[in-house]
């Protein structure tokens, strides 16, 4: 049954532009104004985080928009403290909208005496009062099982499919989707199916962590416009190397579509100097100045999808319906011409 209260949004400091865009989109979808709650999120001189709500949230359905991107620890603590403040202010339900779920790469023990930090973060969020999670492209889908509360995991592939059909409409017969590793095949296959394109795989062998000894292409990429698809681009070393190997194997050109542009350290410089024609990322992580200035990096919006998903959670309707082109297309109408 639909909630009788209006949805309330609040943003931490991690990605204010995305939070504002979600609020604007929700206002468009509802036909009435949806504003971010007035709150103070600041730090004491020693870095300690303090949160104060200025608006009354008693009995309200509140959505905290806060990716746990760099600085991951600060942004995670902001999210936890905001949730605690809302719980103690008698909010009816607290949903954490985490466009980029940090620590997701630590979802299993890869060697002895290591943590499963993704599970620890899940426990902390629930303990802080979060009752539902809305995120996008979890690094590993099984992380949903770390929570004993509902988790809605959105996918960027429907948005990427719209973007690819728009930007490559004159060469769709030559497009080939490429998974950068065996672990990402399911994600790449799903996008390939959406745009009716063939699939190739980059198989990489490591001698030791962080160093790639050999890359092998599974599939014929000769004369193809290759599109590498992945969920995270951190330092971009593997991505740029994969692009080089694809061109060496006869690919016509290489583009990349990555959900979360972490782009730390030398990543932007590597991408700018790489053989890739373009790197397309979403705005789940706020873009830095160098990212915005990079000539071959382009950002696609996720606010329309997050706004509609938030409204669907609020009014008790399907979130998975957003994975269908018939539903998502109208939401992105005006942004893409296919």
């Amino acid at each position: 049954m639909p909630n009788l209260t209006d949805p309330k949004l609040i943003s931490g400091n991690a990605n204010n532009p995305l939070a504002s865009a979600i609020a604007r989109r929700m206002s468009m979808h509802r036909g009435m104004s949806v504003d971010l709650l007035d709150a103070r999120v600041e730090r004491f001189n020693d870095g300690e985080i303090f949160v104060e709500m200025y608006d009354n949230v008693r009995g309200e359905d509140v959505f905290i928009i806060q990716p746990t991107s760099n600085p991951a620890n600060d942004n995670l603590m902001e999210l936890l403290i905001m949730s605690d403040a809302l719980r103690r202010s008698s909010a009816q339900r607290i949903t954490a909208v985490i466009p980029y779920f940090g620590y997701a790469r630590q979802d299993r023990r890869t060697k002895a005496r290591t943590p499963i930090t993704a599970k620890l973060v899940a426990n902390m969020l629930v303990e802080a009062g979060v009752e539902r999670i809305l995120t996008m492209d979890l690094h590993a889908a099984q992380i949903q099982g770390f929570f004993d509360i509902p988790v809605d995991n959105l996918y960027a592939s429907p948005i990427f499919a719209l973007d690819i059909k728009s930007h490559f409409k004159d060469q769709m017969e030559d497009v080939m989707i490429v998974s950068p590793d065996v672990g990402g095949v399911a994600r790449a296959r799903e996008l390939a199916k959406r745009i009716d394109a063939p699939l190739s795989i980059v198989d990489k062998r490591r001698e030791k962590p962080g160093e790639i000894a050999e890359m092998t292409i599974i599939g014929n990429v000769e004369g193809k416009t290759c599109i590498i698809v992945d969920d995270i681009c951190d330092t971009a070393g593997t991505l740029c190397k994969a692009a080089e190997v694809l061109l060496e194997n006869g690919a016509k050109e290489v583009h990349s579509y990555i959900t979360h542009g972490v782009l730390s350290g030398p990543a932007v410089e590597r991408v700018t100097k790489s053989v890739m024609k373009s790197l397309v990322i979403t705005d789940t992580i706020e873009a830095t100045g160098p990212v915005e200035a990079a000539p071959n990096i382009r950002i696609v919006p996720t606010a329309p999808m997050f706004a509609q998903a938030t409204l669907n959670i609020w009014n008790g309707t399907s979130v998975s319906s957003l994975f269908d082109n018939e539903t998502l297309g109208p939401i992105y109408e005006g942004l893409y011409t296919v």
Side-chain angles (χ1 to χ4, degrees), residues 163-326:
D163 194 90
I164 291 170
K165 288 178 179 178
S166 176
H167 282 82
F168 298 92
K169 57 186 175 184
D170 296 329
Q171 48 182 315
M172 286 301 297
E173 65 277 1
D174 295 329
V175 168
M176 173 174 273
I177 300 299
V178 180
S179 173
D181 52 43
V182 175
V185 170
R187 180 182 297 105
R189 184 186 294 119
E190 204 272 337
L191 178 57
K193 183 179 178 181
R194 284 183 179 274
I195 64 172
D196 194 24
L199 176 67
S200 182
I201 303 168
V202 177
D203 180 42
K204 56 179 181 276
R205 178 172 60 84
R206 297 182 186 271
E207 293 290 351
K208 54 185 179 180
E211 292 188 12
I212 299 170
E214 183 182 0
M215 278 187 172
T216 305
I217 307 298
I218 303 174
N220 182 15
V221 300
E222 189 169 353
K224 296 292 186 180
T225 298
C226 291
I227 297 178
I228 303 173
V229 180
D230 208 353
D231 64 322
I232 296 174
C233 177
D234 192 349
T235 59
T238 301
L239 189 65
C240 293
K241 177 63 176 175
E244 293 173 6
V245 173
L246 286 167
L247 287 177
E248 290 169 3
N249 280 264
K252 183 166 60 176
E253 57 186 46
V254 180
H255 304 262
S256 294
Y257 278 72
I258 310 295
T259 306
H260 308 297
V262 177
L263 299 175
S264 59
V268 176
E269 183 180 359
R270 282 176 176 169
V271 170
T272 303
K273 295 180 178 178
S274 75
V275 295
M276 281 189 299
K277 289 282 188 179
S278 68
L279 168 62
V280 179
I281 59 175
T282 73
D283 57 358
T284 56
I285 297 174
E286 185 175 1
T288 61
V291 170
E292 292 179 335
N296 59 344
I297 297 179
R298 185 162 55 85
I299 302 172
V300 297
T302 58
M305 179 180 272
F306 273 112
Q308 190 60 56
T310 300
L311 286 172
N312 288 7
I313 291 171
W314 167 71
N315 62 29
T317 55
S318 171
V319 173
S320 61
S321 64
L322 295 174
F323 306 153
D324 299 329
N325 288 338
E326 294 78 9

Side-chain angles (χ1 to χ4, degrees), residues 62-83:
V62 186
F63 295 81
I64 309 172
I65 303 170
Q66 177 81 340
T68 51
S69 49
N70 183 40
N73 297 333
D74 285 359
N75 289 330
L76 175 59
M77 280 303 299
E78 276 191 17
L79 175 57
L80 295 171
I81 294 171
M82 282 190 290
S83 178

Side-chain angles (χ1 to χ4, degrees), residues 22-96:
I22 292 173
R24 287 195 302 272
R25 273 284 168 173
M26 288 178 66
S27 300
M28 290 172 59
H29 294 170
R30 292 194 69 207
M32 58 187 297
S33 179
V34 177
D35 297 318
L36 295 172
L37 289 174
D38 190 12
R40 179 163 59 114
V41 182
E42 61 179 32
R43 284 161 176 75
F44 294 143
N45 290 334
D46 62 352
E48 191 175 302
I49 297 167
F50 175 75
V51 173
E52 182 181 4
M53 307 289 170
Y54 293 130
D55 291 327
N56 180 26
V57 295
R58 183 177 298 275
E60 300 286 1
D61 195 357
V62 186
F63 295 81
I64 309 172
I65 303 170
Q66 177 81 340
T68 51
S69 49
N70 183 40
N73 297 333
D74 285 359
N75 289 330
L76 175 59
M77 280 303 299
E78 276 191 17
L79 175 57
L80 295 171
I81 294 171
M82 282 190 290
S83 178
D84 186 73
L86 289 167
R87 181 181 60 174
R88 296 178 188 277
S89 302
S90 302
Q92 182 187 71
R93 182 176 66 172
I94 302 168
T95 300

